[in-house]
Amino acid sequence: MKEIGIYIHIPFCKKKCYYCDFCSYEGKDSYIPRYIKCLKQEIAEVGQANKQDVLEGKDKPFLVSTIYFGGGTPSLLESKYIIEIMQIIKENYKIAKEAEITIEVNPGTVTLEKLQDYFTSGINRISIGLQSTYEMLLQQIGRIHTYQEFLDAYYFARQVGFENINVDLMLGLPNQTIQEIQNSVEEVIGLDPEHISLYSLIVEEGTKLEKQIKNGELNLPQELLEREMYWKTKQLLEENGYRHYEISNFAKQGYQSKHNSNCWEQKEYIGFGAAAHSYTNRIRYSNIEDIEDYIKNYEEGRIENNFVFHEKQNQEAVQKEFMLLGLRKLEGVSVQEFKNRFIANPIYLYHDQLEKLITNHLIEIDGNYIKLTKKGIDLANLVWEEFI
């Protein structure tokens, strides 16, 4: 069988966060029923196409190892829609017995009843967007929830039976202090989640936050301060039993995100819904971003207009991407795994790039692994650029 991941994009939000440049929309809730109908049609058609390809000897049957509901805000939807999507996946795909099935939820949009429905439908991992325990910081970045609403969501998730919970936090927020991010991390550690994601704020072009910073309304921490935040919180998490396995991700033993890890290991996945990206048979493609056009193309029988081709990778592109994605992981790129996959030694293949990065103290070769140094973690973009 052919192992794949499934990503479901829910592009609706109650309010768009000021830092967000993802494909998400506020004020378009009236489109939800039609969008879900088209989304289920897309999921079913791809599943049936795979079954036909198997009959004709063109492909192997899919085995779904991970499912991920992202957004947007999946928890904004009535839970009946999530149940329907899960059902259509079960009807059209074989799901691995130990599949990881995640849904992103935002405090203020999720209830005990919704969480119970998610759990009953087969979802076994919850990712809660907290970002900070400080109300002022939450308001400043456009979050709609309070810290208490996060706590309610967390305890509700435990109450209904979730044993795999991720909490998202952010550092480098405008006017944020080291003490504030440390306090937030300590409070979350005290809740004992299985996974914590700690993201550095990236100011994206065209966002409300970018305009506020340009206008002088908000000030970002200095770069050295932001890096100090990162290293102190990293140390705090590791001291409390969370393994740092990817630049922004920490997990207790056995609770690394399978869906994201599979992407970093260049495994195949199929995305459904507006703006969802896919990677199969060395081809990268996506759906169009506009939800109105996405819906209209399904309703008017012009499904092909939803498809956006990005690239068909040759061997060189696949190898470079393997290096780039592998260098996101703290353990780095396995030289032996590279040899097994490509019948080539990356140390020789990328001799010039690696020599340059080693000279600049950005990477090191540690036994069988090529990995980032401490300086390389801080300047990871410079490392990744060598393999683009």
Side-chain angles (χ1 to χ4, degrees):
M1 301 192 83
K2 182 177 185 178
E3 180 185 340
I4 65 159
I6 285 179
Y7 174 78
I8 308 291
H9 191 62
I10 307 296
F12 303 98
C13 285
K14 188 172 181 179
K15 177 186 175 185
K16 196 170 177 77
C17 300
Y18 300 160
Y19 55 84
C20 179
D21 75 332
F22 293 154
C23 175
S24 59
Y25 304 92
E26 59 178 275
K28 293 195 175 187
D29 294 10
S30 61
Y31 288 98
I32 290 174
R34 292 165 62 203
Y35 179 82
I36 297 301
K37 183 179 180 181
C38 297
L39 180 61
K40 291 192 296 182
Q41 182 181 339
E42 183 184 8
I43 293 167
E45 287 177 352
V46 171
Q48 291 304 311
N50 173 248
K51 289 176 181 177
Q52 186 60 40
D53 286 345
V54 171
L55 287 174
E56 296 174 5
K58 297 177 182 177
D59 205 349
K60 296 178 181 178
F62 290 152
L63 177 65
V64 179
S65 59
T66 64
I67 301 171
Y68 194 101
F69 289 82
T73 309
S75 54
L76 179 66
L77 271 57
E78 294 178 56
S79 55
K80 69 176 184 179
Y81 292 124
I82 303 299
I83 294 170
E84 289 173 10
I85 294 168
M86 282 297 298
Q87 186 58 38
I88 211 77
I89 294 173
K90 291 173 185 176
E91 290 172 1
N92 290 277
Y93 301 82
K94 182 174 176 57
I95 300 175
K97 186 178 179 181
E98 302 298 324
E100 176 193 87
I101 307 175
T102 304
I103 187 168
E104 293 179 349
V105 302
N106 278 3
T109 64
V110 71
T111 63
L112 177 62
E113 292 73 24
K114 284 183 179 180
L115 287 161
Q116 184 64 66
D117 285 343
Y118 300 159
F119 190 75
T120 303
S121 74
I123 293 172
N124 54 29
R125 184 174 183 269
I126 294 286
S127 182
I128 310 176
L130 169 59
Q131 316 315 349
S132 175
T133 61
Y134 286 83
E135 311 293 345
M136 182 193 70
L137 291 175
L138 291 174
Q139 293 170 14
Q140 196 170 256
I141 59 176
R143 301 293 289 179
I144 63 170
H145 64 85
T146 64
Y147 180 44
Q148 184 58 52
E149 286 174 317
F150 159 77
L151 291 173
D152 291 343
Y154 185 90
Y155 291 129
F156 286 156
R158 288 296 194 211
Q159 183 178 331
V160 303
F162 283 100
E163 298 178 349
N164 191 353
I165 298 179
N166 169 65
V167 178
D168 284 347
L169 287 168
M170 296 182 76
L171 61 81
L173 299 175
N175 305 317
Q176 188 180 39
T177 66
I178 287 183
Q179 194 59 56
E180 285 170 338
I181 184 61
Q182 282 189 280
N183 289 347
S184 289
V185 170
E186 286 174 352
E187 289 193 44
V188 170
I189 288 172
L191 296 171
D192 204 29
E194 287 69 31
H195 192 285
I196 297 174
S197 295
L198 184 64
Y199 297 107
S200 295
L201 174 69
I202 299 174
V203 180
E204 301 288 359
E205 188 176 345
T207 59
K208 182 173 181 177
L209 185 65
E210 185 209 27
K211 294 173 186 174
Q212 290 175 315
I213 291 169
K214 279 187 174 179
N215 293 339
E217 299 172 46
L218 295 173
N219 295 306
L220 292 176
Q222 293 294 315
E223 186 176 344
L224 287 177
L225 178 59
E226 187 269 347
R227 287 290 84 195
E228 189 177 352
M229 289 180 180
Y230 179 87
W231 288 101
K232 286 197 171 181
T233 50
K234 167 183 162 67
Q235 180 181 357
L236 184 58
L237 285 160
E238 290 177 328
E239 287 173 351
N240 283 275
Y242 290 90
R243 176 173 168 260
H244 190 191
Y245 70 99
E246 190 271 344
I247 281 188
S248 301
N249 287 278
F250 300 78
K252 291 184 178 181
Q253 184 63 38
Y255 287 96
Q256 295 91 332
S257 167
K258 291 180 184 176
H259 186 84
N260 290 337
S261 294
N262 285 351
C263 292
W264 299 323
E265 291 169 11
Q266 219 175 27
K267 293 184 178 179
E268 297 190 356
Y269 54 89
I270 299 173
F272 298 108
H277 284 247
S278 302
Y279 178 64
T280 61
N281 300 317
R282 294 191 173 185
I283 298 173
R284 293 201 176 276
Y285 58 96
S286 69
N287 284 329
I288 58 173
E289 291 193 3
D290 190 283
I291 57 173
E292 295 172 49
D293 287 342
Y294 171 84
I295 293 168
K296 186 182 292 186
N297 287 335
Y298 265 98
E299 292 179 341
E300 297 179 358
R302 293 181 280 106
I303 301 169
E304 67 280 358
N305 290 349
N306 281 340
F307 178 86
V308 181
F309 171 82
H310 293 286
E311 68 167 327
K312 168 70 174 175
Q313 293 180 319
N314 58 24
Q315 181 80 345
E316 181 183 3
V318 175
Q319 290 171 333
K320 283 187 174 182
E321 186 180 75
F322 185 88
M323 294 293 293
L324 187 155
L325 293 172
L327 286 167
R328 291 191 62 90
K329 300 180 293 182
L330 268 290
E331 72 175 9
V333 175
S334 165
V335 174
Q336 188 58 51
E337 188 177 347
F338 191 100
K339 289 178 179 178
N340 293 343
R341 286 192 62 173
F342 304 114
I343 321 298
N345 188 327
I347 295 174
Y348 300 137
L349 191 63
Y350 299 113
H351 175 270
D352 292 346
Q353 293 96 322
L354 296 178
E355 185 175 41
K356 174 184 172 182
L357 293 169
I358 290 171
T359 300
N360 290 319
H361 308 291
L362 296 174
I363 65 164
E364 61 184 352
I365 299 177
D366 181 8
N368 185 50
Y369 288 88
I370 302 166
K371 57 193 287 188
L372 297 172
T373 60
K374 181 176 179 179
K375 181 181 177 183
I377 291 173
D378 283 336
L379 301 172
N381 284 336
L382 296 181
V383 177
W384 300 333
E385 283 174 6
E386 293 295 324
F387 301 99
I388 293 176

